[in-house]
Amino acid sequence: MQLDVFLKQVSLNHALNVLIWHLAQAGIEIAELVRQGALQGVTEKTASTNVQGETQMQLDIRSHELALAQLRASAVVAAVLSEEAESPVLFETVDAPFLVSMDPLDGSSNLAINGVVGSIFSVLPNTGIATQGEQAFLQPGQLQRAAAYIMYGPATLLVLTLGQGTHVFTLNHDSQAFELTQQNLAVAEETSEFAINASNQRYWQPAVQRYVNECLQGADGLRGRDYNMRWCASMVMDVHRILTRGGVFLYPRDSKQPARAGRLRLLYEANPMSLLVTQAGGASIEGLDDILALQPTACHQRVPVLMGSTQEIRRLREYHQQAQA
Ligand SMILES: O=P(O)(O)OC[C@H]1O[C@](O)(COP(=O)(O)O)[C@@H](O)[C@@H]1O
Ligand SMILES: [Mg+2]
Ligand SMILES: [Mg+2]
């Protein structure tokens, strides 16, 4: 079943279906660039940096532009917040029903090594960008109307939720259309696999130190079973693994940069991924609180991210509560 047929079946919101279709088109165009690699110069750095102070890769900027063009063409989006632009981009259609927050290219550090990268999208209702300005983007994640990522791997995948489960579409390169390949993903409640950048260990807070140490002690320790570790340096790839076979993905608060609440951005990384994971039966917290319940305060704010299999996230929340007590 092709994406547009699926959308007509599960959603009566025509405008939302049009938006998702244009997001998919942007993914198809970016996938073509990714496939070309150095032939298209996309693996090269540019001289410019984004609002986070990160050097922008060619593909960060090309993906940003391609996604913007498709979202503008949809005529159902009023404005777009992007990792690659300091302020939201306002479209002529300021009264259109939706706002989109996006990470046009996730896992940029993998580009130079021909690794897996992705794009992440969050769809919010337009509560009045014309009068509220960028404040309109500061809505809790639980108000998202849809969330999606596109994964540029051996196969190109679109993983989507409209708030009724999480589903996978695979790009058919012949027909240039996404086709449904998995419906209603379910994150395993129990797991023996965790993902974290262990090189930051000395900066972690006691609750995360305790949790990871217990996983590393494995069958010789309190957990009584061995744990495996993975780290792909691409949130899209790490979260896709969790949606596929369970596990936990951790990018916690650390003291490496104390002023920073974490590495990942709330509006276009943590919120959309949290909706996709929770719609598949997983959980997502920042330590004590659910990420989807957080009230955002700034467009590019960062947040600690602990998400995945419910049993492990429950334990991590308890460890944070105990560390506070
Ligand atoms: O460099 P680290 O610490 O391994 O961080 C990797 C994390 O940073 C990210 O690459 C940040 O995303 P961007 O590439 O979109 O900036 C995540 O995809 C990934 O989980
Ligand atoms: Mg990212
Ligand atoms: Mg990015």
Side-chain angles (χ1 to χ4, degrees):
M1 187 193 309
Q2 288 198 351
L3 174 65
D4 54 346
V5 177
F6 174 85
L7 290 171
K8 284 194 189 98
Q9 276 188 7
V10 300
S11 158
L12 299 173
N13 188 326
H14 176 66
L16 185 59
N17 296 352
V18 169
L19 195 167
I20 302 296
W21 188 85
H22 280 275
L23 278 184
Q25 288 311 107
I28 293 171
E29 293 167 6
I30 297 167
E32 191 47 37
L33 285 180
V34 171
R35 263 176 12 140
Q36 304 266 345
L39 296 172
Q40 284 279 348
V42 295
T43 57
E44 282 154 32
K45 287 188 174 151
T46 70
S48 56
T49 58
N50 64 19
V51 65
Q52 346 262 335
E54 295 160 349
T55 301
Q56 291 175 306
M57 305 294 286
Q58 283 280 2
L59 193 57
D60 284 319
I61 296 173
R62 302 276 291 276
S63 305
H64 169 78
E65 291 163 351
L66 286 171
L68 271 186
Q70 281 292 344
L71 292 170
R72 182 180 267 116
S74 77
V76 295
V77 175
V80 175
L81 169 68
S82 171
E83 178 190 2
E84 304 309 333
E86 180 158 5
S87 305
V89 178
L90 263 67
F91 293 159
E92 304 73 32
T93 48
V94 282
D95 298 322
F98 300 111
L99 305 174
V100 173
S101 299
M102 66 180 189
D103 178 356
L105 207 280
D106 179 65
S108 310
S109 66
N110 280 351
L111 274 175
I113 59 165
N114 199 31
V116 171
V117 291
S119 302
I120 311 174
F121 300 96
S122 164
V123 179
L124 288 166
N126 177 12
T127 54
I129 187 107
T131 50
Q132 299 170 23
E134 65 179 54
Q135 293 294 317
F137 280 94
L138 305 184
Q139 302 179 45
Q142 59 209 6
L143 297 180
Q144 292 174 98
R145 293 290 186 268
Y149 63 77
I150 298 163
M151 182 179 185
Y152 310 109
T156 301
L157 303 181
L158 164 67
V159 180
L160 171 70
T161 184
L162 302 172
Q164 302 149 38
T166 297
H167 318 290
V168 181
F169 300 80
T170 303
L171 179 60
N172 179 329
H173 283 281
D174 299 329
S175 63
Q176 287 290 292
F178 281 102
E179 295 177 15
L180 182 66
T181 43
Q182 265 181 287
Q183 224 168 333
N184 295 318
L185 294 183
V187 175
E189 284 191 22
E190 187 174 335
T191 182
S192 302
E193 196 163 58
F194 69 99
I196 195 165
N197 182 340
S199 67
N200 295 325
Q201 180 157 25
R202 66 188 184 282
Y203 303 112
W204 296 334
Q205 296 186 315
V208 173
Q209 297 273 12
R210 176 182 173 192
Y211 175 81
V212 173
N213 285 339
E214 288 174 1
C215 291
L216 294 174
Q217 283 155 13
D220 302 335
L222 180 142
R223 302 303 306 273
R225 67 178 191 268
D226 287 341
Y227 276 68
N228 193 14
M229 197 199 110
R230 287 282 183 272
W231 186 248
C232 302
S234 156
M235 186 183 195
V236 164
M237 188 170 173
D238 280 310
V239 171
H240 191 70
R241 186 186 57 253
I242 286 166
L243 285 168
T244 307
R245 68 178 192 214
V248 287
F249 169 79
L250 313 175
Y251 214 120
R253 178 188 300 273
D254 63 40
S255 58
K256 194 173 180 179
Q257 296 183 52
R260 234 166 65 160
R263 168 94 167 78
L264 302 168
R265 283 56 58 122
L266 178 59
L267 293 185
Y268 43 80
E269 289 171 322
N271 271 344
M273 290 305 207
S274 296
L275 191 65
L276 288 157
V277 165
T278 53
Q279 279 293 317
S284 178
I285 61 174
E286 50 76 57
L288 296 170
D289 300 320
D290 290 345
I291 284 179
L292 291 175
L294 297 177
Q295 174 53 52
T297 55
C299 284
H300 299 283
Q301 77 181 81
R302 299 173 190 262
V303 66
V305 176
L306 313 169
M307 60 170 58
S309 297
T310 50
Q311 286 184 12
E312 299 299 305
I313 299 302
R314 194 177 306 126
R315 180 179 289 268
L316 275 155
R317 196 195 304 257
E318 281 163 19
Y319 286 6
H320 281 80
Q321 287 161 343
Q322 289 162 13
Q324 274 226 322

